Amino acid sequence: MREQWLLWNSGAINVALRRLHLTAGLATIALLAALPVGRAAPSDLRSWTLVLGLLAWASVLGLLAWIGLRRGPGVRVRPATDTGDPGLRLPFFLVRWATWPLAAAAVVLAALLPLGWSPDIVRSWGSLPALRGTAVWVTAAVVVGVLVLYVLSRPLRSGRRAVNPAAMLLIAASAGAAFGAGLISRAAGLVGGLGSFTPAVDQYVGWLAVGVTTDLAVLVPFAAVRWWWLSRDGGRAVGVHRLTGDGSWLTAVIGVTGVVLGVAGGIGFLVRGGMPPVDTLPSWFALTVLVLLLGPPLAVACVLAANRVRNLVLVVLAAAIVAAGGVAAVLSGRGFTLLGIVLPPSTFAEFCLDVAVVLPTAAVLARIYAGLTDVGARRGVGVLWDVGTFWPRWFHPLAPPTYSDRAVPELDRRITTELEGPGATLLLAPHSQGSIIAAAAVLLHEQPREGLALLTYGSPWQHLYAEFFPAQVHPVATDTIRHRLSGPNGQRWLNLHRATDPIGGEIDGVEQAVPLDDPCGRKHSDYWVEDEYGEAAARLRAMLAGDPARDGQPPDRSDAPEPAGTG
């Protein structure tokens, strides 16, 4: 990890990001609300709102450039204060007290603006005015942002990993756009009209849903085939472990497919002068998307069901009957409506919008239900929560605050306190996400850690973090930790992992046992009940005690540390 002190002790930078983020959001809301609609007459109030919103955005961009240039690569910051460079006092002062008031004032003025909707303007609308053309500009902005992120990531990431940041932006934008498109469409159907104006959505929203559905139709069979290929010589659990370890393949597929779809849609829009209705798509395209999207899940469901009922023919026959019934319902146009959602959909456009609403909603509800009834599901949610709230980030409108900017420095101080006495030793045994926090704490302390040993197990340090965050977790960072935990008796860092663990894995350069056997199907859990855990703990304690002769003796379970940092 680069610039460890600045990463975990950067209050001024975090406050700046929080204020600038808030300013940009408020300014955007004000500008969208103040844009003239139809033939709305200009007014001083509208003009002042636009001016304040543009000034707020200009201040955000200018201060970002100012701070970024002063704190670019190679700039050293004195660790005595968050703003060690005196040249940054003025921009930080402006960030705290001069940016967000402009945006807040613009929002207040925008709230006082009349809409300026006349009956003639409303009757001339074919759809909600905020949606007309917006999807085109949003798509163009996302494509440009994806390409820019890819170019910026090239110096820090190699191969397919360079696509990760761009793909994450595309996933976030596509998921938000598709979910929003579906909600808008269904809300419009439920409202049923406001007077003589029906709040319909236009074809751009439908094309957003088609793009997301097509991207999923490419991703699902790719992931299924790759999982099958990786499972050939190890079983399903080993295949999942290998698939998650090569997760950047999936993000690369998402990124490339999304960019291709976005560019193709942009070219079609420019050539045709607009987007045609979604129903004009050829039937072969819709059928291909349906087969690619629904085929692999149905095949997996048949295999799993056959393993339970021991009759593959019966399972396939039942699946064929269900599929035939769904096709017949679609062709006949008959179905039922649930909260404005037609099931089954009668057209490909309705299917894509249903995917945009039903899929994320069902996933969220299923995860909530599973979390209430299954300990393993709750643990999975906890793992995702730990990862999502780890990297320092002080502000996001839909995300909780992070814990790492408190946990990492606090662990560093705790380790320093435990090792203060003469001859003091400490064996740290973190599991899963705890190993990431422990590694960050070792990196934060710039001197070798005499008397400290590290036993990691189920660690995602290389398996996931090096794959998705190679700018922070890389071989240099691993070698730095190894150097700080090395002494005359050897390297005081051991790692345990299982080949069936979808989260943890081996760490290059760190001594570790062969993948642990997993006859009980524990996967990511209960490493501390294995004999290898006690052996590794005893070996590290012997190294801390300066007695290499004890190396390799049978384990003493009473000598094993309590597990820490489970995730």
Side-chain angles (χ1 to χ4, degrees):
M1 295 185 179
R2 302 173 301 160
E3 297 291 346
Q4 287 298 308
W5 182 91
L6 184 60
L7 181 62
W8 306 113
N9 294 274
S10 53
I13 288 291
N14 288 329
V15 170
L17 292 175
R18 178 176 59 183
R19 299 292 174 86
L20 293 175
H21 195 160
L22 177 62
T23 301
L26 294 178
T28 302
I29 293 173
L31 289 174
L32 291 176
L35 288 176
V37 177
R39 298 180 179 178
S43 64
D44 293 339
L45 191 60
R46 189 181 303 276
S47 300
W48 277 108
T49 305
L50 291 172
V51 169
L52 289 175
L54 291 174
L55 283 176
W57 253 113
S59 67
V60 169
L61 297 177
L63 289 170
L64 279 176
W66 191 349
I67 297 173
L69 291 174
R70 295 288 298 191
R71 281 196 163 178
V75 176
R76 299 294 299 174
V77 181
R78 295 196 302 270
T81 173
D82 286 335
T83 58
D85 186 352
L88 290 176
R89 291 175 183 171
L90 178 58
F92 279 121
F93 176 82
L94 294 176
V95 165
R96 284 186 171 92
W97 306 110
T99 54
W100 65 269
L102 291 174
V107 169
V108 172
L109 293 180
L112 301 176
L113 282 173
L115 291 177
W117 292 1
S118 66
D120 294 335
I121 293 176
V122 171
R123 280 192 294 269
S124 68
W125 291 339
S127 62
L128 293 174
L131 298 175
R132 290 205 306 265
T134 303
V136 178
W137 294 109
V138 169
T139 302
V142 170
V143 171
V144 172
V146 165
L147 296 176
V148 169
L149 275 178
Y150 175 74
V151 173
L152 295 177
S153 299
R154 289 293 299 170
L156 301 176
R157 297 168 173 84
S158 60
R160 65 183 186 274
R161 294 178 179 177
V163 184
N164 284 341
M168 291 299 106
L169 171 63
L170 187 66
I171 292 172
S174 301
F179 196 35
L183 288 178
I184 291 171
S185 175
R186 298 315 169 193
L190 290 174
V191 170
L194 300 174
S196 60
F197 170 56
T198 301
V201 296
D202 60 7
Q203 67 271 17
Y204 298 108
V205 173
W207 281 106
L208 283 174
V210 169
V212 173
T213 306
T214 306
D215 209 343
L216 286 176
V218 175
L219 176 66
V220 169
F222 177 85
V225 171
R226 186 159 180 79
W227 168 74
W228 170 80
W229 180 262
L230 296 173
S231 304
R232 291 175 305 144
D233 58 349
R236 293 197 298 265
V238 175
V240 172
H241 170 83
R242 295 171 178 172
L243 184 65
T244 55
D246 286 339
S248 55
W249 276 108
L250 305 181
T251 57
V253 170
I254 294 173
V256 172
T257 306
V259 170
V260 170
L261 291 174
V263 172
I267 294 174
F269 174 80
L270 294 175
V271 171
R272 294 172 174 264
M275 297 298 290
V278 178
D279 293 333
T280 59
L281 278 171
S283 57
W284 64 264
F285 179 85
L287 182 61
T288 302
V289 170
L290 289 173
V291 171
L292 291 177
L293 185 61
L294 301 179
L298 287 177
V300 172
C302 289
V303 172
L304 295 178
N307 289 338
R308 290 181 177 273
V309 302
R310 304 298 180 185
N311 193 332
L312 182 60
V313 176
L314 182 61
V315 172
V316 172
L317 180 62
I321 293 175
V322 173
V327 172
V330 171
L331 294 178
S332 65
R334 296 179 180 179
F336 64 95
T337 302
L338 178 63
L339 297 177
I341 300 174
V342 180
L343 298 175
S346 58
T347 64
F348 180 64
E350 287 186 357
F351 171 78
C352 293
L353 285 173
D354 287 350
V355 169
V357 177
V358 175
L359 188 62
T361 304
V364 171
L365 293 178
R367 180 53 61 182
I368 292 175
Y369 176 78
L372 295 174
T373 58
D374 184 20
V375 176
R378 286 199 298 272
R379 186 172 296 147
V381 173
V383 170
L384 293 176
W385 187 274
D386 286 345
V387 175
T389 58
F390 175 71
W391 295 110
R393 165 186 39 79
W394 273 37
F395 182 83
H396 191 284
L398 299 177
T402 62
Y403 63 89
S404 57
D405 48 355
R406 300 182 300 277
V408 173
E410 178 60 30
L411 179 59
D412 174 60
R413 289 190 291 268
R414 181 70 179 271
I415 294 173
T416 301
T417 301
E418 294 289 336
L419 297 177
E420 281 181 349
T425 60
L426 176 64
L427 173 56
L428 201 60
H431 171 236
S432 189
Q433 185 70 11
S435 66
I436 306 298
I437 299 174
V442 174
L443 287 171
L444 180 60
H445 195 84
E446 296 185 356
Q447 302 300 321
R449 283 291 197 178
E450 299 295 339
L452 175 65
L454 184 62
L455 172 58
T456 56
Y457 45 101
S459 173
W461 176 261
Q462 179 173 306
H463 188 69
L464 295 180
Y465 274 76
E467 185 77 7
F468 289 98
F469 308 106
Q472 286 77 30
V473 180
H474 44 70
V476 175
T478 304
D479 291 342
T480 301
I481 299 174
R482 292 173 52 234
H483 173 72
R484 294 178 183 176
L485 296 177
S486 296
N489 295 328
Q491 179 182 294
R492 303 186 304 276
W493 183 10
L494 299 179
N495 181 63
L496 303 176
H497 69 286
R498 296 190 182 106
T500 57
D501 188 343
I503 297 173
E506 62 181 353
I507 302 174
D508 290 341
V510 177
E511 187 175 347
Q512 50 211 328
V514 296
L516 306 183
D517 293 332
D518 192 17
C520 299
R522 295 189 176 106
K523 298 179 182 178
H524 188 59
S525 304
D526 299 335
Y527 276 86
W528 44 86
V529 304
E530 306 285 358
D531 290 338
E532 290 84 351
Y533 179 84
E535 294 172 1
R539 179 178 178 183
L540 288 173
R541 289 191 183 277
M543 295 177 67
L544 290 174
D547 184 11
R550 285 185 55 190
D551 187 9
Q553 284 190 356
D556 179 6
R557 299 301 302 184
S558 63
D559 201 32
E562 292 295 325
T566 58

